[in-house]
Amino acid sequence: MRILVIGSGGREHALVWKIAQSKLVDKIFSAPGNAGIAKLAECLEIKADDIHALLDFARREKIDLTVVGPEAPLARGIVNEFSRYKLRIFGPAKEAARLESSKVFAKELMAKYNVPTANFGVFDEPEEAKRYIQKIGAPCVVKADGLAAGKGVIVSKTIDEARQAVKSIMEDRIFGDSGKQVVVEECLEGKEASIIVLTDSKEVICLPSSQDHKRAFDGDTGPNTGGMGAYSPAPIVTPKLFKEILEKIIYRILDGLVRQGIVYKGVLYAGIMLTEDGPKVLEFNVRFGDPETQAILPRLKSDLLEVMLATTEGKLSRYKNLNWDGRACVCVVCASQGYPGEYEKGKEIFGLDEVEKMQDVVVFHAATKKQDKRILTNGGRVLGVTGLGNTLKEAIKRTYQAVEKIHFAGMHYRKDIGYKAINKG
Ligand code: AMP
Ligand code: GLY
């Protein structure tokens, strides 16, 4: 089969790496890919959200399955476009992708179908949003309705901060039209976990739990990032809790979508806060998590491509379960100096060959490019160094041994990825 994977981050490298292990694969393309992906796939000079160019390519090259990594093309309806030409594509259609592309839609659906989430209000007038903030007090959370490259959520410690967030989003329009409406919600307390499932709208297959590390620095301090590391499984999600999350969150939201006449096919990600009152949804994403995917897929023994095909064909019931490696997996992100603020690109990366010789370690590239024989940094999150171990402790040790062999000017990474789970956090 000829496969096209859309995207250029660590998540997409992990997807390509896993798909490449399938017996069904003849050739993989990636648009646009990166230097790591280029070892396994032919990289194309097509941007991930250039739907027309992607469609032309898939038709011309007779692609058997397209896998969409990031949310932007899904929100813009790439699945609807491909489906019109009977091209097989993995991911939800535009209407279903609203679960991520409109926080207002997601929150209203959750309220309607009794999916536990933070209490909230929806506003299209800044003054009304500010009055609501005054009423509920701080801390509270202000969220731009639309996509904002992961930056549209502002957790505010004071009323002033929250009012300022409303001003930036709605009046100054720092996220453009994504800020026409806002959701203001109560601030939840607890530990976070990510639950990711595959669904064809009838069946649900769960991937193991995982946990991201959103803040830039050790001890969950510093600014929010796209994710500085992840591990799987997350022991905090006990089997009992997993069942509760499935029943009260995953099944209810999918059932709600069906009742709205929306078919959801693809991967569904629930960001969960484990509160004293039980698990509550922070957000839904309509794609694989990044960097959670990097910590989950090395544990998958089954053929990912087969199960993705079954998802697109509505035949997921063939797979009651997937086969998982019982070991733990950890992914540590190596980032550029300054990230998530401003950073420079083009620094040469050393040590990758050395790490390639290590067992049970794989380096997923998140933003790299090749120049002559050198691999250079090409973005904020550069690499996701990933290791397996019999225990989480072992996986952490192995992963950091690998991280220490790699360097580039200004490289920074968190030194405490996974420690929360060892300390039962
Ligand atoms: P998101 O971009 O929606 O993943 O949100 C980013 C982060 O904001 C989440 O991972 C949480 O840490 C935090 N967050 C979002 N909503 C809430 C909430 N209601 N209470 C507390 N933290 C939240
Ligand atoms: N790891 C968070 C996300 O993928 O949105």
Side-chain angles (χ1 to χ4, degrees), residues 54-351:
L54 291 164
L55 183 62
D56 279 350
F57 179 83
R59 292 182 69 193
R60 199 172 59 241
E61 290 288 333
K62 301 201 172 13
I63 297 298
D64 296 296
L65 178 72
T66 299
V67 175
V68 189
E71 61 277 16
L74 294 168
R76 289 201 194 161
I78 190 169
V79 173
N80 309 56
E81 285 298 312
F82 272 51
S83 303
R84 285 209 320 196
Y85 291 92
K86 305 258 179 297
L87 285 166
R88 220 183 285 153
I89 182 162
F90 178 88
K94 189 177 182 173
E95 303 71 35
R98 287 185 75 206
L99 220 41
E100 178 167 359
S101 66
S102 169
K103 297 221 190 287
V104 172
F105 173 80
K107 292 294 286 194
E108 287 177 345
L109 201 68
M110 284 189 258
K112 188 163 178 186
Y113 294 102
N114 208 14
V115 175
T117 188
N119 291 326
F120 69 102
V122 170
F123 304 95
D124 44 25
E125 290 293 337
E127 287 315 312
E128 280 175 29
K130 289 177 192 168
R131 267 199 294 280
Y132 183 76
I133 289 166
Q134 207 71 38
K135 194 174 106 193
I136 65 168
C140 66
V141 185
V142 181
K143 302 183 169 185
D145 173 48
L147 295 182
K151 295 184 190 134
V153 172
I154 303 178
V155 180
S156 311
K157 289 202 194 74
T158 63
I159 289 183
D160 265 0
E161 249 179 80
R163 290 169 63 92
Q164 184 56 43
V166 169
K167 179 176 180 298
S168 311
I169 295 173
M170 298 190 91
E171 293 168 0
D172 306 341
R173 289 290 172 97
I174 53 170
F175 306 121
D177 279 353
S178 287
K180 271 192 191 158
Q181 284 184 300
V182 290
V183 171
V184 179
E185 62 182 39
E186 64 171 327
C187 195
L188 298 176
E189 274 180 44
K191 310 283 184 209
E192 288 184 41
S194 308
I195 298 299
I196 302 177
V197 304
L198 296 169
T199 180
D200 61 1
S201 187
K202 303 184 289 269
E203 289 293 326
V204 170
I205 292 189
C206 301
L207 309 191
S209 60
S210 56
Q211 196 174 49
D212 188 5
H213 297 63
K214 292 243 182 220
R215 301 296 197 95
F217 308 127
D218 288 3
D220 290 332
T221 56
N224 257 321
T225 69
M228 293 299 290
Y231 60 89
S232 172
I236 190 168
V237 186
T238 58
K240 184 166 166 268
L241 207 47
F242 209 125
K243 191 161 170 265
E244 190 181 348
I245 292 168
L246 271 179
E247 282 167 4
K248 293 193 179 154
I249 293 174
I250 303 290
Y251 295 154
R252 281 188 196 171
I253 203 74
L254 289 173
D255 191 50
L257 283 167
V258 169
R259 285 167 193 272
Q260 300 291 118
I262 296 173
V263 175
Y264 194 106
K265 282 186 187 175
V267 67
L268 177 64
Y269 166 128
I272 309 275
M273 188 72 93
L274 303 168
T275 74
E276 278 184 358
D277 302 331
K280 296 190 179 180
V281 175
L282 293 169
E283 57 159 349
F284 283 114
N285 293 324
V286 298
R287 44 154 180 94
F288 285 98
D290 188 343
E292 288 93 330
T293 306
Q294 292 88 309
I296 291 175
L297 290 186
R299 301 185 55 217
L300 178 61
K301 289 183 171 171
S302 312
D303 186 324
L304 179 64
L305 182 53
E306 268 184 23
V307 76
M308 282 178 152
L309 287 166
T311 305
T312 61
E313 288 164 357
K315 292 180 180 158
L316 209 48
S317 57
R318 281 191 199 156
Y319 299 84
K320 279 286 169 254
N321 272 307
L322 298 176
N323 217 338
W324 295 97
D325 187 328
R327 290 179 295 171
C329 189
V330 175
C331 170
V332 174
V333 170
C334 301
S336 297
Q337 185 166 24
Y339 173 80
E342 286 191 12
Y343 53 81
E344 290 177 6
K345 298 180 188 177
K347 311 287 178 201
E348 182 168 2
I349 305 170
F350 300 95

